[in-house]
Amino acid sequence: MKIKRPLIRIDEEKCTGCGDCVTACQEGAIAVIDGKARLVRDIFCDGLGACLGHCPTGALTIEEVDADPFDEEAVAEHLAAPAPQPAAPAHFGGCPGSAIRRLSPASAPGPDFTATGPSALGHWPVQLRLVPPTAPFLQQADLLLCADCVPFALAGFHQRYLNGRAVLVGCPKLDDLAHYQEKLTAILSLARPHSLTVLRMEVPCCGGLAYAALNARDAAGVALPVEIHTVSIDGLIRQRETVPPRPAVSQKSTA
């Protein structure tokens, strides 16, 4: 019998699938499924909202809805059940981007791989948390915002992406996404780069990097398209997309 009670609500548009809410929920009520956080069953959620402060994108809210009552016994059985295997579509208790996988490196270089050559890195530091928005190498640069796992997966990273760009490196899973967004907003406002390319991994939690870049672009008010390239863990470019700037809001005359 359903009753009116508080229950977690997950905004899929805001959710990046980072899994922080999964580990924060002591009842195991949330799982990352198909790259998004999902409520497993109403009866597992007590509606107290302990997970709310752990979501970096504000995708979680508590709403009064008609739902099945919270069931402590069912929660205990659920938590005592064996964890699903890594190949299962739902990932309980952690981020799918942290799943251990064995890769098979290519035995020979591909056609776009340069085996030797000078480094294309043109500045230091590169960590987003360490680079000041006033750094001279950011001014009107072609800016590359890169997930820190990308150079390990992507052969020829220096030649394909780093050459001629100013690079900022970070991990939205391990660092403070709100700080990233604040820092990027300041950089875009002050440096006014010519272009912005986000290079992220395919794992869901890495979507936070693109999320921070787009929000920072809009907050800074710069009319800058953002290119987002997604790299697979076996070193392929899975997707390329260009997100245009938001159209300017016209100011109507009040005369």
Side-chain angles (χ1 to χ4, degrees), residues 160-212:
R160 293 178 66 177
Y161 283 99
L162 187 56
N163 195 17
R165 289 187 171 104
V167 63
L168 300 170
V169 180
C171 175
K173 173 66 176 177
L174 301 180
D175 293 335
D176 184 349
L177 193 61
H179 175 69
Y180 275 7
Q181 186 171 315
E182 181 180 353
K183 174 67 79 69
L184 287 170
T185 300
I187 288 172
L188 295 176
S189 297
L190 296 174
R192 298 285 167 169
H194 287 305
S195 66
L196 174 57
T197 301
V198 179
L199 200 53
R200 54 157 294 190
M201 295 298 295
E202 65 178 339
V203 295
C205 55
C206 208
L209 203 62
Y211 175 90

Side-chain angles (χ1 to χ4, degrees), residues 2-253:
K2 294 186 181 295
I3 60 172
K4 196 81 168 180
R5 72 178 186 91
L7 196 72
I8 193 70
R9 179 184 176 277
I10 303 170
D11 187 333
E12 290 193 11
E13 292 296 320
K14 294 182 178 180
C15 177
T16 63
C18 70
D20 286 353
C21 57
V22 176
T23 54
C25 179
Q26 299 300 310
E27 291 75 32
I30 306 174
V32 174
I33 302 173
D34 296 330
K36 297 290 184 179
R38 317 272 185 185
L39 181 62
V40 180
R41 291 184 64 186
D42 290 0
I43 61 174
F44 296 157
C45 178
D46 59 13
L48 297 179
C51 55
L52 296 184
H54 296 268
C55 179
T57 65
L60 306 181
T61 54
I62 294 291
E63 293 187 359
E64 288 280 340
V65 297
D66 291 323
D68 293 322
F70 174 62
D71 190 332
E72 291 189 39
E73 292 185 3
V75 168
E77 293 178 4
H78 171 58
L79 295 176
Q85 297 301 310
H91 300 264
F92 295 91
C95 173
S98 302
I100 297 174
R101 311 183 195 185
R102 185 183 295 275
L103 306 179
S104 299
S107 57
D112 56 357
F113 176 74
T114 303
T116 59
S119 169
L121 182 63
H123 63 84
W124 189 264
V126 296
Q127 285 289 338
L128 177 55
R129 291 190 298 173
L130 301 179
V131 176
T134 55
F137 55 78
L138 296 176
Q139 296 300 313
Q140 298 183 336
D142 291 312
L143 192 60
L144 177 65
L145 179 60
C146 179
D148 54 11
C149 293
V150 165
F152 295 96
L154 187 61
F157 166 75
H158 278 240
Q159 290 71 33
R160 293 178 66 177
Y161 283 99
L162 187 56
N163 195 17
R165 289 187 171 104
V167 63
L168 300 170
V169 180
C171 175
K173 173 66 176 177
L174 301 180
D175 293 335
D176 184 349
L177 193 61
H179 175 69
Y180 275 7
Q181 186 171 315
E182 181 180 353
K183 174 67 79 69
L184 287 170
T185 300
I187 288 172
L188 295 176
S189 297
L190 296 174
R192 298 285 167 169
H194 287 305
S195 66
L196 174 57
T197 301
V198 179
L199 200 53
R200 54 157 294 190
M201 295 298 295
E202 65 178 339
V203 295
C205 55
C206 208
L209 203 62
Y211 175 90
L214 293 175
N215 279 358
R217 187 267 312 269
D218 295 340
V222 294
L224 186 69
V226 177
E227 286 195 28
I228 303 172
H229 295 194
T230 302
V231 182
S232 68
I233 61 171
D234 54 357
L236 301 176
I237 305 298
R238 292 292 189 195
Q239 183 179 5
R240 294 182 177 90
E241 63 174 319
T242 301
V243 182
R246 289 184 176 179
V249 178
S250 60
Q251 299 293 328
K252 294 184 179 180
S253 174

